């Protein structure tokens, strides 16, 4: 059976309400599959409900309720119809000092409350220059997935996102993507005996390079930032990946 590939639109902190209204209307009208996951800024989640896509948030806390001013609870997100949470994104790691330990706590809390985690891993430019990609990805996987039981892996999707490829219009070669995707799948299978982990690619995916990227059989979908802000570009990507 062919696996259903995912397209995850990470809208980051973009759009004021007037700007996102037409995006929401188009998404509700034109996206007909839950293979597409829209991750708007969480304040807009209620407006995105009742579409045929799945809904995700861009971060969730490492606890579910209580005295955490400004935090987003995975339990509350799930109660609103959210299905996915993006965790460990390099922007959170770099700008908010999230380390693997924090990401690990968030992963466990999110799965406890039925969310599917899109766990981002990937090396920086300097780590790549030192040929440390596999070492870095392995460390992130081991630390961020620590303590997970076998069944919890049904709720995990890994997104390989090299930090240097995010928003840069540069992507790794097809060979590099195949290599690291297989590396991640083998690492999860040998460490946790889980054979069906889905691995997405993210970093400068756009409507122009999607055909080539989508031809990589090992990759189970894409995490799309910049290109997902333009609904027409997102549609082109969806059409290539999901039909
Ligand atoms: P990008 O962002 O598509 O703009 O490179 C991807 C991401 O940060 O998830």
């Amino acid at each position: 059976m062919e696996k259903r590939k995912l397209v995850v639109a990470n809208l980051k902190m973009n759009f004021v309400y007037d700007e996102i209204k037409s995006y929401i209307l188009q998404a509700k009208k034109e996206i007909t599959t839950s293979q597409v996951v829209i991750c708007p800024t969480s304040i807009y989640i209620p407006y995105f409900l009742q579409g045929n896509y799945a809904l995700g948030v861009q971060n969730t806390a490492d606890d579910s309720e209580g005295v955490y001013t400004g935090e987003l609870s995975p339990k509350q997100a799930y109660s609103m119809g959210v299905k996915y949470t993006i965790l460990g994104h390099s922007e959170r790691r770099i700008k908010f000092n999230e380390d693997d330990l924090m990401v690990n706590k968030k992963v466990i809390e999110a799965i406890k409350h039925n969310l599917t985690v899109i766990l981002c891993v990937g090396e920086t430019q300097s780590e790549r220059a030192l040929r440390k990609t596999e070492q870095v990805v392995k460390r992130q996987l081991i630390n961020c997935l620590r303590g997970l039981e076998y069944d919890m892996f049904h709720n995990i999707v890994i997104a390989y996102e090299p930090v240097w490829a995010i928003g840069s219009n540069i992507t790794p070669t097809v060979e590099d993507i195949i290599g690291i995707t297989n590396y991640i799948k083998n690492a999860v299978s040998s460490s946790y005996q889980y054979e069906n982990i889905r691995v997405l690619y993210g970093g400068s995916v756009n409507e122009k390079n999607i055909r080539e990227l989508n031809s990589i059989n090992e990759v189970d979908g894409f995490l799309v930032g910049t290109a997902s802000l333009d609904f027409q570009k997102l549609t082109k990507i969806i059409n290539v990946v999901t039909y």
Side-chain angles (χ1 to χ4, degrees), residues 143-157:
N143 290 343
C144 298
L145 298 174
R146 182 160 288 152
L148 261 69
E149 285 160 23
Y150 180 88
D151 280 344
M152 295 166 93
F153 280 88
H154 299 305
N155 282 35
I156 292 275
V157 178

Side-chain angles (χ1 to χ4, degrees), residues 10 12 89-91 120 161 165-169 202-205 223-227:
N10 178 7
K12 306 193 180 180
H89 193 283
S90 59
E91 288 155 16
C120 302
E161 289 213 310
I166 296 176
S168 65
N169 255 327
S204 295
V205 175
L223 182 46
V224 188
T226 313

Side-chain angles (χ1 to χ4, degrees), residues 180-226:
I180 195 72
T181 303
N182 282 334
Y183 180 81
I184 293 170
K185 291 187 177 186
N186 289 336
V188 171
S189 135
S190 65
S191 299
Y192 305 97
Q193 288 67 55
Y194 189 80
E195 305 289 345
N196 295 317
I197 196 77
R198 285 177 291 175
V199 179
L200 314 183
Y201 169 74
S204 295
V205 175
N206 61 41
E207 75 290 359
K208 297 196 187 84
N209 59 26
I210 190 61
R211 278 191 190 281
E212 186 184 22
L213 293 170
N214 193 52
S215 70
I216 308 175
N217 283 330
E218 288 80 357
V219 168
D220 301 300
F222 303 92
L223 182 46
V224 188
T226 313

Side-chain angles (χ1 to χ4, degrees), residues 98-143:
E98 288 190 10
D99 58 10
D100 288 344
L101 182 68
M102 169 64 78
V103 175
N104 177 239
K105 287 187 191 161
K106 290 182 171 200
V107 167
I108 290 173
E109 195 66 21
I111 296 177
K112 198 162 114 190
H113 296 289
N114 306 308
L115 295 178
T116 294
V117 172
I118 299 163
L119 173 65
C120 302
V121 296
E123 81 288 0
T124 61
Q125 179 69 64
S126 55
E127 288 164 340
R128 172 177 141 94
L130 294 169
R131 300 183 180 278
K132 286 189 169 169
T133 298
E134 291 186 353
Q135 194 182 319
V136 169
V137 167
K138 187 171 190 180
R139 188 207 74 219
Q140 292 171 332
L141 289 174
I142 289 176
N143 290 343

